[in-house]
Coordinates of all heavy atoms in Angstrom, one line a residue:
M1 N 0.8 -1.2 0.0 CA 0.0 0.0 0.0 C 0.9 1.2 0.0 O 1.9 1.3 0.6 CB -0.9 0.0 1.2 CG -1.9 -1.1 1.3 SD -3.4 -0.5 0.8 CE -4.4 -1.7 1.5
S2 N 0.4 2.3 -0.6 CA 1.1 3.5 -0.7 C 0.9 4.2 0.6 O -0.2 4.3 1.2 CB 0.6 4.4 -1.8 OG 1.3 5.6 -1.9
A3 N 1.9 4.9 1.1 CA 1.8 5.6 2.4 C 0.8 6.7 2.4 O 0.8 7.6 1.5 CB 3.2 6.2 2.8
G4 N -0.1 6.6 3.2 CA -1.2 7.7 3.4 C -2.3 7.6 2.5 O -3.4 8.2 2.8
S5 N -2.2 6.9 1.4 CA -3.3 6.9 0.4 C -4.3 5.7 0.7 O -5.4 5.8 0.2 CB -2.8 6.8 -1.1 OG -2.3 5.6 -1.3
G6 N -3.8 4.7 1.2 CA -4.7 3.5 1.5 C -4.9 2.7 0.2 O -5.7 1.9 0.2
M7 N -4.2 3.0 -0.9 CA -4.3 2.3 -2.1 C -3.0 1.6 -2.4 O -2.0 2.0 -2.1 CB -4.6 3.3 -3.3 CG -6.0 3.8 -3.3 SD -6.3 4.6 -4.8 CE -7.0 6.1 -4.2
S8 N -3.2 0.5 -3.1 CA -2.1 -0.3 -3.6 C -1.4 0.4 -4.7 O -1.9 1.3 -5.3 CB -2.6 -1.7 -4.1 OG -3.3 -1.5 -5.3
P9 N -0.1 0.1 -4.9 CA 0.6 0.7 -6.0 C -0.1 0.5 -7.4 O -0.1 1.3 -8.3 CB 2.0 0.0 -6.0 CG 2.2 -0.4 -4.6 CD 0.8 -0.7 -4.1
E10 N -0.7 -0.7 -7.5 CA -1.5 -1.1 -8.7 C -2.7 -0.1 -8.9 O -2.9 0.4 -10.0 CB -1.9 -2.5 -8.8 CG -0.8 -3.5 -8.8 CD -0.1 -3.7 -7.5 OE1 -0.8 -3.4 -6.4 OE2 1.0 -4.3 -7.4
A11 N -3.4 0.2 -7.8 CA -4.6 1.0 -7.9 C -4.2 2.5 -8.2 O -4.8 3.1 -9.0 CB -5.3 0.9 -6.6
L12 N -3.1 2.8 -7.6 CA -2.6 4.2 -7.9 C -2.2 4.4 -9.4 O -2.4 5.4 -10.0 CB -1.5 4.5 -7.0 CG -1.8 4.8 -5.5 CD1 -0.5 4.9 -4.7 CD2 -2.7 6.0 -5.4
K13 N -1.6 3.2 -9.9 CA -1.1 3.3 -11.3 C -2.4 3.4 -12.2 O -2.4 4.1 -13.2 CB -0.4 2.0 -11.6 CG 0.1 2.0 -13.0 CD 1.0 0.8 -13.4 CE 1.4 0.8 -14.8 NZ 2.1 -0.4 -15.2
R14 N -3.4 2.6 -11.9 CA -4.6 2.7 -12.7 C -5.2 4.1 -12.7 O -5.7 4.6 -13.7 CB -5.7 1.6 -12.2 CG -5.4 0.2 -12.6 CD -6.6 -0.7 -12.3 NE -6.9 -0.8 -10.9 CZ -6.3 -1.7 -10.1 NH1 -5.4 -2.6 -10.5 NH2 -6.7 -1.7 -8.8
L15 N -5.3 4.7 -11.5 CA -5.8 6.1 -11.4 C -4.9 7.0 -12.2 O -5.5 7.9 -12.9 CB -5.9 6.5 -9.9 CG -7.0 5.8 -9.1 CD1 -6.9 6.4 -7.7 CD2 -8.4 6.1 -9.7
R16 N -3.6 6.9 -12.2 CA -2.7 7.7 -12.9 C -3.0 7.5 -14.5 O -3.0 8.5 -15.2 CB -1.3 7.4 -12.6 CG -0.7 8.3 -11.6 CD 0.9 8.2 -11.5 NE 1.4 6.9 -11.5 CZ 1.4 6.1 -10.4 NH1 1.1 6.6 -9.3 NH2 1.9 4.9 -10.5
N17 N -3.1 6.3 -14.8 CA -3.5 6.0 -16.2 C -4.7 6.6 -16.7 O -4.8 7.2 -17.8 CB -3.4 4.5 -16.5 CG -2.1 3.9 -16.5 OD1 -1.0 4.6 -16.6 ND2 -2.0 2.6 -16.3
L18 N -5.7 6.6 -15.9 CA -7.0 7.2 -16.2 C -6.9 8.7 -16.3 O -7.4 9.3 -17.2 CB -8.1 6.8 -15.2 CG -8.6 5.4 -15.3 CD1 -9.4 5.1 -14.0 CD2 -9.5 5.2 -16.5
A19 N -6.2 9.2 -15.3 CA -5.9 10.7 -15.5 C -5.1 11.1 -16.7 O -5.5 12.1 -17.3 CB -5.1 11.2 -14.1
N20 N -4.2 10.3 -17.0 CA -3.4 10.6 -18.2 C -4.2 10.4 -19.5 O -3.9 11.0 -20.5 CB -2.2 9.6 -18.3 CG -1.1 10.0 -17.3 OD1 -1.1 11.1 -16.8 ND2 -0.3 9.0 -17.0
F21 N -5.2 9.6 -19.4 CA -6.1 9.4 -20.6 C -7.2 10.5 -20.7 O -7.4 11.2 -21.7 CB -6.9 8.1 -20.5 CG -7.8 7.8 -21.6 CD1 -7.4 7.4 -22.8 CD2 -9.2 8.1 -21.5 CE1 -8.3 7.1 -23.9 CE2 -10.1 7.9 -22.5 CZ -9.6 7.4 -23.8
W22 N -7.8 10.9 -19.6 CA -8.9 11.9 -19.5 C -8.5 13.4 -19.5 O -9.1 14.2 -20.2 CB -9.9 11.6 -18.4 CG -10.7 10.4 -18.7 CD1 -10.6 9.2 -18.1 CD2 -11.7 10.1 -19.8 NE1 -11.5 8.2 -18.6 CE2 -12.1 8.8 -19.7 CE3 -12.2 11.0 -20.7 CZ2 -13.1 8.3 -20.5 CZ3 -13.2 10.4 -21.6 CH2 -13.6 9.2 -21.5
T23 N -7.5 13.7 -18.8 CA -7.1 15.1 -18.6 C -6.7 15.8 -19.9 O -7.2 16.9 -20.1 CB -5.9 15.2 -17.6 OG1 -6.3 14.6 -16.4 CG2 -5.5 16.6 -17.4
P24 N -6.0 15.2 -20.8 CA -5.7 15.9 -22.1 C -7.0 16.1 -22.9 O -7.2 17.2 -23.5 CB -4.8 15.0 -22.8 CG -4.2 14.0 -21.8 CD -5.2 14.0 -20.7
R25 N -7.9 15.2 -22.8 CA -9.2 15.3 -23.6 C -10.0 16.5 -23.0 O -10.6 17.2 -23.7 CB -10.0 14.0 -23.5 CG -9.3 12.9 -24.4 CD -9.8 11.5 -24.1 NE -9.3 10.6 -25.0 CZ -8.0 10.2 -25.0 NH1 -7.1 10.6 -24.2 NH2 -7.6 9.2 -25.9
M26 N -10.0 16.6 -21.6 CA -10.7 17.6 -21.0 C -10.1 19.0 -21.4 O -10.8 20.0 -21.6 CB -10.8 17.4 -19.5 CG -11.7 16.1 -19.2 SD -11.6 15.6 -17.4 CE -12.2 17.0 -16.6
K27 N -8.8 19.0 -21.3 CA -8.1 20.3 -21.6 C -8.3 20.7 -23.0 O -8.2 21.9 -23.4 CB -6.6 20.1 -21.2 CG -6.4 20.2 -19.7 CD -4.8 20.1 -19.4 CE -4.7 20.2 -17.9 NZ -3.2 20.1 -17.6
A28 N -8.4 19.7 -23.9 CA -8.5 20.0 -25.4 C -9.9 20.5 -25.7 O -10.1 21.0 -26.9 CB -8.1 18.8 -26.2
A29 N -10.9 20.4 -24.9 CA -12.3 20.8 -25.2 C -12.3 22.3 -25.5 O -11.7 23.0 -24.9 CB -13.1 20.5 -24.0
A30 N -12.8 22.6 -26.7 CA -12.8 24.0 -27.2 C -13.9 24.8 -26.5 O -13.8 26.0 -26.6 CB -13.1 23.9 -28.7
N31 N -14.8 24.2 -25.8 CA -15.9 24.9 -25.2 C -16.6 24.1 -24.2 O -16.2 22.9 -24.0 CB -16.9 25.5 -26.2 CG -17.5 24.4 -27.1 OD1 -17.9 23.3 -26.5 ND2 -17.5 24.5 -28.4
D32 N -17.5 24.7 -23.4 CA -18.1 24.0 -22.3 C -18.9 22.8 -22.8 O -19.0 21.8 -22.1 CB -19.0 25.0 -21.5 CG -18.2 25.9 -20.6 OD1 -17.0 25.7 -20.4 OD2 -18.7 26.9 -20.2
A33 N -19.5 22.9 -23.9 CA -20.3 21.8 -24.5 C -19.4 20.6 -24.7 O -19.8 19.5 -24.5 CB -21.1 22.2 -25.7
E34 N -18.3 20.8 -25.4 CA -17.3 19.7 -25.6 C -16.8 19.2 -24.3 O -16.7 18.0 -24.2 CB -16.1 20.2 -26.5 CG -16.5 20.5 -27.9 CD -15.3 20.8 -28.8 OE1 -14.1 20.7 -28.3 OE2 -15.5 21.3 -29.9
L35 N -16.5 20.1 -23.3 CA -16.0 19.6 -22.0 C -17.1 18.7 -21.4 O -16.8 17.6 -20.9 CB -15.7 20.8 -21.1 CG -15.2 20.4 -19.7 CD1 -14.0 19.5 -19.8 CD2 -15.0 21.7 -18.9
A36 N -18.4 19.1 -21.4 CA -19.4 18.3 -20.9 C -19.5 17.0 -21.6 O -19.8 15.9 -20.9 CB -20.8 19.0 -21.0
A37 N -19.4 16.9 -22.9 CA -19.4 15.7 -23.6 C -18.2 14.7 -23.2 O -18.5 13.5 -23.0 CB -19.3 15.9 -25.1
V38 N -17.1 15.3 -22.9 CA -15.9 14.4 -22.5 C -16.2 13.9 -21.1 O -15.9 12.8 -20.8 CB -14.6 15.3 -22.6 CG1 -13.5 14.5 -21.9 CG2 -14.3 15.6 -24.0
C39 N -16.7 14.8 -20.2 CA -17.0 14.4 -18.9 C -18.1 13.4 -18.8 O -18.0 12.4 -18.0 CB -17.3 15.6 -18.0 SG -15.9 16.7 -17.7
F40 N -19.1 13.5 -19.7 CA -20.1 12.5 -19.8 C -19.5 11.1 -20.2 O -19.8 10.1 -19.6 CB -21.3 12.9 -20.7 CG -22.3 11.8 -20.9 CD1 -23.2 11.6 -19.8 CD2 -22.4 11.1 -22.0 CE1 -24.2 10.6 -19.9 CE2 -23.4 10.1 -22.1 CZ -24.3 9.9 -21.1
D41 N -18.7 11.2 -21.2 CA -18.0 10.0 -21.7 C -17.2 9.4 -20.6 O -17.2 8.1 -20.4 CB -17.1 10.2 -22.9 CG -18.0 10.5 -24.1 OD1 -19.2 10.2 -24.1 OD2 -17.3 11.0 -25.1
R42 N -16.5 10.2 -19.8 CA -15.7 9.7 -18.7 C -16.6 9.0 -17.6 O -16.2 7.9 -17.1 CB -14.9 10.8 -18.1 CG -14.0 10.4 -16.9 CD -13.3 11.6 -16.3 NE -12.2 11.2 -15.4 CZ -11.5 12.0 -14.7 NH1 -11.5 13.3 -15.0 NH2 -10.7 11.5 -13.8
A43 N -17.7 9.7 -17.3 CA -18.5 9.1 -16.3 C -19.2 7.8 -16.8 O -19.3 6.8 -16.0 CB -19.7 10.1 -16.0
K44 N -19.6 7.7 -18.0 CA -20.1 6.5 -18.6 C -19.1 5.4 -18.5 O -19.4 4.2 -18.1 CB -20.6 6.8 -20.0 CG -21.7 5.9 -20.5 CD -22.4 6.3 -21.7 CE -21.5 6.6 -22.8 NZ -22.2 6.7 -24.1
A45 N -17.9 5.7 -18.9 CA -16.8 4.7 -18.9 C -16.5 4.2 -17.5 O -16.3 3.0 -17.2 CB -15.5 5.2 -19.5
A46 N -16.6 5.1 -16.5 CA -16.4 4.7 -15.1 C -17.5 3.8 -14.6 O -17.3 2.8 -13.9 CB -16.3 6.0 -14.2
A47 N -18.7 4.1 -15.0 CA -19.9 3.3 -14.6 C -19.8 1.9 -15.3 O -20.0 0.9 -14.6 CB -21.1 3.9 -15.0
K48 N -19.4 1.8 -16.5 CA -19.2 0.5 -17.1 C -18.1 -0.3 -16.5 O -18.3 -1.5 -16.3 CB -18.9 0.7 -18.7 CG -20.1 1.1 -19.5 CD -19.7 1.3 -20.9 CE -20.9 1.7 -21.7 NZ -20.5 1.9 -23.2
R49 N -17.0 0.4 -16.2 CA -15.9 -0.3 -15.5 C -16.3 -0.8 -14.2 O -16.0 -1.9 -13.8 CB -14.7 0.6 -15.5 CG -13.4 0.0 -15.0 CD -12.2 1.0 -15.1 NE -12.5 2.4 -14.7 CZ -12.7 3.4 -15.6 NH1 -12.7 3.2 -16.9 NH2 -13.0 4.6 -15.1
S50 N -17.0 0.0 -13.4 CA -17.5 -0.4 -12.1 C -18.5 -1.6 -12.2 O -18.4 -2.5 -11.4 CB -18.2 0.8 -11.5 OG -18.4 0.6 -10.1
Q51 N -19.3 -1.6 -13.2 CA -20.2 -2.7 -13.4 C -19.4 -4.0 -13.7 O -19.7 -5.1 -13.1 CB -21.2 -2.5 -14.6 CG -22.3 -1.5 -14.1 CD -23.3 -1.4 -15.3 OE1 -22.9 -1.1 -16.4 NE2 -24.6 -1.4 -15.0
R52 N -18.4 -3.9 -14.6 CA -17.6 -5.0 -14.8 C -16.8 -5.6 -13.6 O -16.6 -6.7 -13.5 CB -16.5 -4.7 -15.9 CG -17.0 -4.7 -17.3 CD -15.9 -4.7 -18.3 NE -14.9 -3.6 -18.1 CZ -14.9 -2.4 -18.6 NH1 -15.9 -2.1 -19.3 NH2 -14.0 -1.6 -18.3
N53 N -16.5 -4.6 -12.7 CA -15.8 -5.0 -11.5 C -16.7 -5.3 -10.3 O -16.2 -5.3 -9.2 CB -14.8 -3.9 -11.1 CG -13.7 -3.8 -12.1 OD1 -13.3 -4.9 -12.7 ND2 -13.2 -2.6 -12.4
G54 N -18.0 -5.5 -10.5 CA -18.8 -6.0 -9.5 C -19.9 -5.1 -8.9 O -20.6 -5.5 -8.0
D55 N -20.1 -4.0 -9.4 CA -21.2 -3.1 -9.0 C -22.3 -3.0 -10.0 O -22.2 -2.1 -11.0 CB -20.6 -1.7 -8.7 CG -21.7 -0.7 -8.1 OD1 -22.9 -1.2 -8.0 OD2 -21.4 0.4 -7.8
P56 N -23.3 -3.9 -9.9 CA -24.3 -3.9 -11.0 C -25.2 -2.7 -11.0 O -25.9 -2.4 -11.9 CB -25.1 -5.1 -10.7 CG -24.9 -5.3 -9.2 CD -23.5 -4.9 -8.9
T57 N -25.1 -1.8 -10.0 CA -25.9 -0.6 -9.9 C -25.2 0.7 -10.4 O -25.8 1.8 -10.3 CB -26.4 -0.4 -8.4 OG1 -25.2 -0.1 -7.7 CG2 -27.1 -1.6 -7.9
A58 N -24.0 0.6 -10.8 CA -23.2 1.7 -11.2 C -23.9 2.6 -12.2 O -23.9 3.8 -12.1 CB -21.8 1.3 -11.6
M59 N -24.4 2.0 -13.3 CA -25.0 2.8 -14.4 C -26.3 3.5 -13.9 O -26.6 4.6 -14.2 CB -25.3 2.0 -15.6 CG -25.6 2.8 -16.9 SD -24.2 3.8 -17.5 CE -23.1 2.6 -18.1
H60 N -27.0 2.8 -13.0 CA -28.3 3.3 -12.4 C -27.9 4.5 -11.5 O -28.6 5.5 -11.6 CB -29.0 2.3 -11.7 CG -30.3 2.8 -11.2 ND1 -31.5 2.8 -12.0 CD2 -30.8 3.2 -10.0 CE1 -32.5 3.2 -11.3 NE2 -32.0 3.5 -10.1
K61 N -26.8 4.4 -10.8 CA -26.4 5.5 -9.9 C -26.0 6.7 -10.7 O -26.4 7.8 -10.4 CB -25.2 5.0 -9.0 CG -25.5 4.1 -8.0 CD -24.2 3.7 -7.3 CE -24.3 2.5 -6.4 NZ -23.1 2.0 -5.8
L62 N -25.3 6.5 -11.8 CA -25.0 7.6 -12.7 C -26.3 8.3 -13.3 O -26.4 9.5 -13.3 CB -24.1 7.1 -13.9 CG -23.8 8.2 -14.9 CD1 -23.1 9.3 -14.4 CD2 -23.0 7.5 -16.1
A63 N -27.2 7.4 -13.7 CA -28.5 8.0 -14.2 C -29.2 8.8 -13.1 O -29.7 9.9 -13.5 CB -29.3 6.8 -14.7
Q64 N -29.2 8.3 -11.9 CA -29.8 9.1 -10.8 C -29.1 10.4 -10.6 O -29.8 11.4 -10.5 CB -29.8 8.3 -9.5 CG -30.7 7.1 -9.5 CD -30.7 6.3 -8.2 OE1 -29.6 5.9 -7.8 NE2 -31.8 6.1 -7.6
E65 N -27.8 10.5 -10.6 CA -27.0 11.7 -10.5 C -27.4 12.7 -11.6 O -27.6 13.8 -11.3 CB -25.6 11.4 -10.5 CG -25.1 10.7 -9.2 CD -25.0 11.6 -8.0 OE1 -24.8 12.8 -8.1 OE2 -25.1 11.1 -6.8
L66 N -27.4 12.2 -12.9 CA -27.7 13.0 -14.0 C -29.2 13.5 -13.9 O -29.4 14.7 -14.2 CB -27.4 12.3 -15.2 CG -26.0 12.0 -15.6 CD1 -25.9 11.0 -16.8 CD2 -25.2 13.3 -15.9
A67 N -30.1 12.7 -13.6 CA -31.5 13.1 -13.5 C -31.6 14.2 -12.4 O -32.4 15.1 -12.6 CB -32.4 11.9 -13.2
Q68 N -31.0 14.0 -11.3 CA -31.0 15.0 -10.2 C -30.5 16.4 -10.6 O -31.0 17.4 -10.3 CB -30.4 14.5 -8.9 CG -30.6 15.5 -7.7 CD -32.0 15.7 -7.4 OE1 -32.7 14.7 -7.1 NE2 -32.4 16.9 -7.3
W69 N -29.3 16.3 -11.3 CA -28.7 17.5 -11.8 C -29.6 18.2 -12.7 O -29.8 19.4 -12.7 CB -27.3 17.2 -12.4 CG -26.6 18.4 -12.9 CD1 -25.8 19.2 -12.2 CD2 -26.7 19.0 -14.2 NE1 -25.3 20.2 -13.0 CE2 -25.9 20.1 -14.2 CE3 -27.4 18.7 -15.3 CZ2 -25.8 20.9 -15.3 CZ3 -27.4 19.5 -16.5 CH2 -26.5 20.6 -16.4
A70 N -30.2 17.5 -13.7 CA -31.1 18.0 -14.7 C -32.3 18.7 -14.0 O -32.7 19.8 -14.3 CB -31.5 17.0 -15.7
A71 N -32.9 18.0 -13.0 CA -34.0 18.5 -12.3 C -33.6 19.8 -11.6 O -34.4 20.8 -11.6 CB -34.6 17.5 -11.3
D72 N -32.5 19.9 -11.0 CA -32.0 21.1 -10.2 C -31.9 22.2 -11.3 O -32.3 23.4 -11.0 CB -30.7 20.8 -9.5 CG -30.8 19.9 -8.4 OD1 -32.0 19.6 -7.9 OD2 -29.8 19.4 -7.9
M73 N -31.3 21.9 -12.4 CA -31.1 23.0 -13.4 C -32.4 23.5 -14.0 O -32.6 24.7 -14.2 CB -30.2 22.5 -14.5 CG -28.8 22.2 -14.2 SD -27.9 23.6 -13.5 CE -27.7 24.6 -15.0
E74 N -33.3 22.6 -14.2 CA -34.7 22.9 -14.7 C -35.4 23.8 -13.7 O -36.1 24.7 -14.1 CB -35.5 21.6 -15.0 CG -34.9 20.9 -16.2 CD -35.4 19.4 -16.3 OE1 -36.0 18.9 -15.4 OE2 -35.1 18.8 -17.3
R75 N -35.3 23.4 -12.4 CA -36.0 24.2 -11.4 C -35.4 25.6 -11.3 O -36.1 26.6 -11.3 CB -35.8 23.5 -10.0 CG -36.7 24.0 -8.9 CD -36.6 23.1 -7.7 NE -36.8 21.7 -7.9 CZ -35.9 20.8 -7.9 NH1 -34.6 21.0 -7.7 NH2 -36.2 19.5 -8.2
A76 N -34.1 25.7 -11.4 CA -33.4 27.0 -11.3 C -33.8 27.8 -12.5 O -34.1 29.1 -12.4 CB -31.9 26.8 -11.3
D77 N -33.8 27.2 -13.7 CA -34.2 27.9 -14.9 C -35.7 28.4 -14.8 O -36.0 29.6 -15.2 CB -34.0 27.0 -16.1 CG -34.1 27.8 -17.4 OD1 -33.6 28.9 -17.6 OD2 -34.8 27.3 -18.3
A78 N -36.6 27.6 -14.3 CA -38.0 28.0 -14.2 C -38.1 29.2 -13.2 O -38.9 30.0 -13.5 CB -38.8 26.8 -13.7
T79 N -37.3 29.1 -12.1 CA -37.4 30.2 -11.2 C -36.8 31.5 -11.8 O -37.5 32.5 -11.6 CB -36.5 29.9 -9.9 OG1 -37.0 28.7 -9.4 CG2 -36.5 30.9 -8.9
R80 N -35.8 31.4 -12.6 CA -35.2 32.6 -13.3 C -36.3 33.2 -14.3 O -36.5 34.4 -14.3 CB -33.9 32.3 -14.0 CG -32.7 32.3 -13.2 CD -31.5 32.3 -14.1 NE -31.4 31.2 -14.8 CZ -30.9 30.0 -14.4 NH1 -30.5 29.8 -13.1 NH2 -30.9 28.9 -15.2
Q81 N -36.9 32.3 -15.0 CA -37.9 32.7 -16.0 C -39.1 33.4 -15.3 O -39.6 34.4 -15.8 CB -38.3 31.5 -16.9 CG -37.2 31.1 -17.9 CD -37.7 29.9 -18.7 OE1 -38.9 29.4 -18.6 NE2 -36.8 29.5 -19.5
S82 N -39.5 32.8 -14.2 CA -40.7 33.4 -13.6 C -40.4 34.7 -12.9 O -41.3 35.6 -12.9 CB -41.3 32.5 -12.5 OG -40.4 32.3 -11.5
R83 N -39.2 35.0 -12.5 CA -38.8 36.3 -12.0 C -38.7 37.3 -13.1 O -39.0 38.5 -12.9 CB -37.4 36.2 -11.4 CG -37.5 35.8 -9.9 CD -36.2 35.9 -9.2 NE -35.5 34.6 -9.5 CZ -34.3 34.3 -9.2 NH1 -33.6 35.2 -8.5 NH2 -33.8 33.2 -9.5
H84 N -38.5 36.9 -14.3 CA -38.3 37.8 -15.4 C -39.6 38.2 -16.1 O -39.8 39.2 -16.8 CB -37.4 37.2 -16.5 CG -35.9 37.3 -16.1 ND1 -35.3 36.3 -15.4 CD2 -35.0 38.3 -16.3 CE1 -34.1 36.6 -15.2 NE2 -33.8 37.8 -15.7
T85 N -40.6 37.3 -15.8 CA -41.9 37.6 -16.4 C -42.9 38.3 -15.5 O -43.9 38.7 -15.8 CB -42.6 36.3 -16.9 OG1 -42.7 35.3 -15.9 CG2 -41.8 35.7 -18.0
A86 N -42.5 38.3 -14.2 CA -43.4 38.9 -13.1 C -43.3 40.4 -13.2 O -42.5 41.1 -13.7 CB -42.9 38.5 -11.8

């Protein structure tokens, strides 16, 4: 185990490899929409990997998080719109 991290060297290497894969893609995004697409792909890949590694609920958890985020954004937008029409 690595000192202080609680992770094995193999786990740390996997995380480094994932960071090395995703970070350049995130930095290369030309705008927020592209960044969101990359982040969505990253989340989907993480959920699939988690499912393969024994968490059958990973994709459902991701869907719940996205649905909650969308509902929060929709609520905030509706509130902004109602303030502008009043």
Side-chain angles (χ1 to χ4, degrees):
M1 296 260 202
S2 178
S5 73
M7 284 192 227
S8 69
E10 295 81 16
L12 290 171
K13 182 179 179 185
R14 281 192 297 274
L15 288 177
R16 264 193 313 277
N17 288 343
L18 286 167
N20 290 339
F21 180 83
W22 289 110
T23 300
R25 286 161 178 74
M26 292 169 65
K27 287 182 178 179
N31 54 49
D32 288 342
E34 285 184 16
L35 179 59
V38 171
C39 290
F40 177 74
D41 289 344
R42 182 180 184 179
K44 206 165 56 167
K48 286 179 181 179
R49 190 171 39 259
S50 190
Q51 283 183 315
R52 279 193 311 271
N53 290 328
D55 182 359
T57 66
M59 196 63 72
H60 187 79
K61 291 175 190 173
L62 174 58
Q64 286 178 313
E65 290 286 332
L66 290 169
Q68 184 60 56
W69 182 88
D72 292 345
M73 293 300 288
E74 292 161 352
R75 193 173 307 106
D77 190 48
T79 301
R80 274 192 301 279
Q81 287 179 4
S82 66
R83 277 187 274 179
H84 286 88
T85 58

